[in-house]
Amino acid sequence: EAQVTQNPRYLITVTGKKLTVTCSQNMNHEYMSWYRQDPGLGLRQIYYSMNVEVTDKGDVPEGYKVSRKEKRNFPLILESPSPNQTSLYFCASRDPLSALHFGNGTRLTVT
Amino acid sequence: QKEVEQNSGPLSVPEGAIASLNCTYSDRGSQSFFWYRQYSGKSPELIMSIYSNGDKEDGRFTAQLNKASQYVSLLIRDSQPSDSATYLCAVNIPRNTGFQKLVFGTGTRLLVSP
Protein backbone atom coordinates (compact mmCIF):
# COMPACT_ATOMS: atom_id res chain seq x y z
CA GLU A 1 0.00 0.00 0.00
CA ALA A 2 1.32 3.44 -1.00
CA GLN A 3 1.79 5.46 2.12
CA VAL A 4 3.71 7.99 4.15
CA THR A 5 4.53 6.71 7.63
CA GLN A 6 5.31 9.01 10.54
CA ASN A 7 6.37 8.06 14.02
CA PRO A 8 5.52 8.59 16.77
CA ARG A 9 1.83 9.57 16.54
CA TYR A 10 1.91 11.29 19.93
CA LEU A 11 4.86 12.72 21.78
CA ILE A 12 5.07 14.62 25.06
CA THR A 13 8.45 16.00 25.99
CA VAL A 14 10.12 18.72 28.04
CA THR A 15 11.81 21.91 26.94
CA GLY A 16 15.30 21.37 25.62
CA LYS A 17 15.23 17.60 25.19
CA LYS A 18 16.24 16.75 21.63
CA LEU A 19 13.76 14.71 19.63
CA THR A 20 13.37 13.25 16.16
CA VAL A 21 10.15 12.54 14.30
CA THR A 22 10.67 9.98 11.56
CA CYS A 23 9.01 9.99 8.14
CA SER A 24 9.22 7.33 5.45
CA GLN A 25 7.46 6.97 2.07
CA ASN A 26 7.26 3.96 -0.24
CA MET A 27 6.17 5.73 -3.44
CA ASN A 28 9.64 6.63 -4.71
CA HIS A 29 8.76 10.33 -4.54
CA GLU A 30 11.62 12.75 -4.90
CA TYR A 31 9.84 15.58 -3.11
CA MET A 32 9.15 15.45 0.62
CA SER A 33 8.04 18.13 3.04
CA TRP A 34 7.21 18.83 6.68
CA TYR A 35 4.29 20.97 7.86
CA ARG A 36 2.97 22.12 11.16
CA GLN A 37 -0.67 22.91 11.72
CA ASP A 38 -1.96 25.25 14.38
CA PRO A 39 -5.52 26.48 14.98
CA GLY A 40 -6.33 29.48 12.80
CA LEU A 41 -2.98 29.37 11.00
CA GLY A 42 -3.51 26.45 8.67
CA LEU A 43 -0.71 24.28 7.29
CA ARG A 44 2.67 25.97 7.35
CA GLN A 45 5.67 24.48 5.64
CA ILE A 46 8.75 23.92 7.80
CA TYR A 47 11.27 22.37 5.41
CA TYR A 48 11.15 20.59 2.11
CA SER A 49 13.45 18.39 0.05
CA MET A 50 13.53 18.18 -3.72
CA ASN A 51 15.74 15.09 -3.71
CA VAL A 52 18.41 13.23 -1.76
CA GLU A 53 20.84 15.62 -0.07
CA VAL A 54 18.79 18.64 -1.25
CA THR A 55 16.81 20.42 1.46
CA ASP A 56 15.53 23.97 1.81
CA LYS A 57 13.69 26.13 4.30
CA GLY A 58 9.97 26.57 4.14
CA ASP A 59 7.95 29.31 5.79
CA VAL A 60 8.67 28.50 9.46
CA PRO A 61 12.07 26.73 9.69
CA GLU A 62 13.35 28.25 12.95
CA GLY A 63 14.06 25.64 15.61
CA TYR A 64 13.95 22.69 13.23
CA LYS A 65 16.44 20.63 11.24
CA VAL A 66 15.98 17.98 8.60
CA SER A 67 18.13 15.54 6.67
CA ARG A 68 17.62 13.57 3.46
CA LYS A 69 20.28 10.89 3.23
CA GLU A 70 18.09 8.51 1.27
CA LYS A 71 15.06 9.01 -0.92
CA ARG A 72 12.49 7.32 1.28
CA ASN A 73 13.31 8.95 4.64
CA PHE A 74 13.00 12.55 5.78
CA PRO A 75 13.31 12.94 9.57
CA LEU A 76 12.43 16.14 11.41
CA ILE A 77 14.77 17.06 14.25
CA LEU A 78 14.09 19.44 17.11
CA GLU A 79 17.46 20.06 18.76
CA SER A 80 16.05 22.04 21.70
CA PRO A 81 12.24 21.96 21.69
CA SER A 82 10.31 24.86 23.18
CA PRO A 83 6.63 25.15 24.15
CA ASN A 84 5.87 27.21 21.02
CA GLN A 85 6.69 24.11 18.99
CA THR A 86 3.69 22.33 20.46
CA SER A 87 1.69 21.52 17.34
CA LEU A 88 0.37 18.90 14.97
CA TYR A 89 3.06 17.90 12.47
CA PHE A 90 2.59 16.30 9.06
CA CYS A 91 5.10 14.78 6.69
CA ALA A 92 4.14 14.60 3.02
CA SER A 93 5.53 13.53 -0.33
CA ARG A 94 4.59 13.93 -3.99
CA ASP A 95 5.59 13.71 -7.62
CA PRO A 96 6.17 17.09 -9.35
CA LEU A 97 2.88 18.91 -10.01
CA SER A 98 0.84 16.18 -8.33
CA ALA A 99 -1.02 16.24 -5.06
CA LEU A 100 0.67 15.74 -1.71
CA HIS A 101 0.29 12.46 0.15
CA PHE A 102 0.25 13.04 3.89
CA GLY A 103 1.33 10.90 6.80
CA ASN A 104 -1.04 10.39 9.73
CA GLY A 105 0.47 13.18 11.76
CA THR A 106 2.42 13.57 14.99
CA ARG A 107 0.90 15.50 17.85
CA LEU A 108 3.77 17.04 19.81
CA THR A 109 3.43 18.64 23.23
CA VAL A 110 6.42 20.44 24.74
CA THR A 111 6.09 21.35 28.42
CA GLN B 1 -2.72 39.54 -0.24
CA LYS B 2 -2.50 35.87 0.62
CA GLU B 3 -1.53 33.54 -2.20
CA VAL B 4 -4.52 31.27 -1.53
CA GLU B 5 -7.60 32.53 0.29
CA GLN B 6 -10.61 30.76 1.70
CA ASN B 7 -13.44 31.85 3.94
CA SER B 8 -12.87 30.16 7.29
CA GLY B 9 -16.58 29.56 7.89
CA PRO B 10 -18.21 27.70 9.40
CA LEU B 11 -20.46 27.05 6.44
CA SER B 12 -23.63 25.43 7.76
CA VAL B 13 -25.92 23.48 5.43
CA PRO B 14 -28.77 21.05 6.10
CA GLU B 15 -28.45 17.40 5.17
CA GLY B 16 -29.25 16.85 1.50
CA ALA B 17 -28.37 20.40 0.42
CA ILE B 18 -25.54 21.51 -1.85
CA ALA B 19 -22.49 22.89 -0.10
CA SER B 20 -20.43 25.39 -2.09
CA LEU B 21 -16.85 26.08 -1.04
CA ASN B 22 -14.76 28.77 -2.67
CA CYS B 23 -11.09 29.57 -3.03
CA THR B 24 -9.21 32.38 -4.76
CA TYR B 25 -5.53 32.48 -5.68
CA SER B 26 -3.14 35.25 -6.60
CA ASP B 27 -0.78 33.86 -9.25
CA ARG B 28 -2.12 33.65 -12.80
CA GLY B 29 0.61 31.16 -13.66
CA SER B 30 -0.82 28.46 -11.40
CA GLN B 31 -1.68 25.29 -13.29
CA SER B 32 -2.82 22.67 -10.78
CA PHE B 33 -5.40 22.85 -8.01
CA PHE B 34 -6.46 20.48 -5.30
CA TRP B 35 -9.16 20.07 -2.67
CA TYR B 36 -8.41 18.22 0.54
CA ARG B 37 -10.80 17.17 3.30
CA GLN B 38 -9.52 17.14 6.85
CA TYR B 39 -11.33 15.74 9.86
CA SER B 40 -10.32 17.17 13.23
CA GLY B 41 -6.95 15.80 14.33
CA LYS B 42 -6.53 13.74 11.16
CA SER B 43 -4.35 14.21 8.11
CA PRO B 44 -5.61 15.98 4.98
CA GLU B 45 -7.10 13.62 2.41
CA LEU B 46 -7.14 14.45 -1.30
CA ILE B 47 -10.66 14.48 -2.72
CA MET B 48 -10.32 16.34 -6.02
CA SER B 49 -7.69 17.67 -8.39
CA ILE B 50 -8.35 19.94 -11.37
CA TYR B 51 -6.00 21.27 -14.02
CA SER B 52 -8.13 22.90 -16.75
CA ASN B 53 -10.97 25.41 -16.85
CA GLY B 54 -14.46 24.10 -16.33
CA ASP B 55 -16.04 21.44 -14.16
CA LYS B 56 -14.76 18.09 -13.00
CA GLU B 57 -17.17 15.69 -11.35
CA ASP B 58 -16.45 12.73 -9.10
CA GLY B 59 -19.47 11.23 -7.40
CA ARG B 60 -21.10 13.86 -5.20
CA PHE B 61 -18.16 16.23 -5.65
CA THR B 62 -17.66 18.76 -8.43
CA ALA B 63 -14.60 20.97 -8.72
CA GLN B 64 -14.89 24.13 -10.79
CA LEU B 65 -11.95 26.13 -12.10
CA ASN B 66 -11.98 29.61 -13.62
CA LYS B 67 -8.44 30.70 -14.37
CA ALA B 68 -9.50 34.09 -15.78
CA SER B 69 -11.13 34.99 -12.46
CA GLN B 70 -8.55 33.06 -10.43
CA TYR B 71 -10.94 31.02 -8.40
CA VAL B 72 -11.59 27.37 -7.80
CA SER B 73 -14.64 25.97 -6.07
CA LEU B 74 -15.90 22.68 -4.69
CA LEU B 75 -19.55 21.68 -4.74
CA ILE B 76 -20.80 18.86 -2.57
CA ARG B 77 -24.21 17.57 -3.60
CA ASP B 78 -26.57 15.76 -1.25
CA SER B 79 -24.45 16.80 1.74
CA GLN B 80 -24.22 14.29 4.56
CA PRO B 81 -23.32 14.80 8.23
CA SER B 82 -20.18 12.75 7.50
CA ASP B 83 -19.09 15.55 5.14
CA SER B 84 -18.65 17.83 8.17
CA ALA B 85 -14.94 18.63 8.10
CA THR B 86 -12.49 21.34 7.12
CA TYR B 87 -11.88 21.64 3.38
CA LEU B 88 -8.47 22.85 2.29
CA CYS B 89 -7.80 24.42 -1.09
CA ALA B 90 -4.25 23.95 -2.40
CA VAL B 91 -2.67 25.61 -5.43
CA ASN B 92 0.67 24.97 -7.14
CA ILE B 93 2.25 28.44 -7.28
CA PRO B 94 5.20 28.88 -9.68
CA ARG B 95 8.44 30.13 -8.20
CA ASN B 96 11.32 31.92 -9.92
CA THR B 97 13.42 28.78 -9.60
CA GLY B 98 11.03 26.89 -11.87
CA PHE B 99 9.81 24.89 -8.93
CA GLN B 100 6.09 24.91 -8.11
CA LYS B 101 5.25 25.26 -4.44
CA LEU B 102 1.99 23.83 -3.18
CA VAL B 103 0.36 26.56 -1.11
CA PHE B 104 -2.62 25.82 1.14
CA GLY B 105 -5.49 28.04 2.15
CA THR B 106 -6.41 28.08 5.82
CA GLY B 107 -9.49 25.98 5.13
CA THR B 108 -13.27 26.29 5.31
CA ARG B 109 -15.10 24.46 8.04
CA LEU B 110 -18.27 22.77 6.80
CA LEU B 111 -21.05 21.71 9.16
CA VAL B 112 -23.86 19.52 7.82
CA SER B 113 -26.80 19.26 10.17
CA PRO B 114 -29.12 16.20 10.15
Side-chain angles (χ1 to χ4, degrees), chain B residues 2-92:
Chain B
K2 291 183 180 178
E3 291 182 295
V4 179
E5 295 204 62
Q6 295 180 256
N7 188 315
S8 61
L11 173 65
S12 295
V13 301
E15 184 175 357
I18 296 175
S20 177
L21 305 160
N22 298 312
C23 172
T24 59
Y25 60 95
S26 61
D27 196 316
R28 287 190 174 276
S30 299
Q31 297 293 326
S32 45
F33 309 84
F34 308 93
W35 282 99
Y36 287 82
R37 176 178 62 201
Q38 186 178 26
Y39 294 109
S40 181
K42 303 295 186 182
S43 60
E45 170 194 11
L46 178 70
I47 52 174
M48 291 288 287
S49 58
I50 187 166
Y51 303 95
S52 54
N53 275 331
D55 295 0
K56 179 181 178 182
E57 187 174 318
D58 184 1
R60 295 187 297 112
F61 299 99
T62 299
Q64 299 176 316
L65 175 60
N66 185 322
K67 289 185 179 180
S69 300
Q70 294 175 240
Y71 81 78
V72 55
S73 61
L74 180 70
L75 301 178
I76 306 174
R77 289 181 299 281
D78 188 24
S79 295
Q80 301 297 309
S82 58
D83 294 326
S84 298
T86 297
Y87 289 80
L88 304 173
C89 172
V91 179
N92 263 326

Side-chain angles (χ1 to χ4, degrees), chain A residues 9-11 21 35-39 41-44 46 60 64 78 82-90 105-110:
Chain A
R9 293 292 309 279
Y10 301 92
L11 180 56
V21 184
Y35 294 84
R36 62 178 289 174
Q37 188 174 39
D38 303 287
L41 297 177
L43 281 164
R44 294 183 292 168
I46 303 170
V60 288
Y64 304 94
L78 285 72
S82 63
N84 65 11
Q85 292 178 300
T86 292
S87 187
L88 179 58
Y89 291 86
F90 291 105
T106 296
R107 186 168 291 282
L108 172 65
T109 302
V110 184

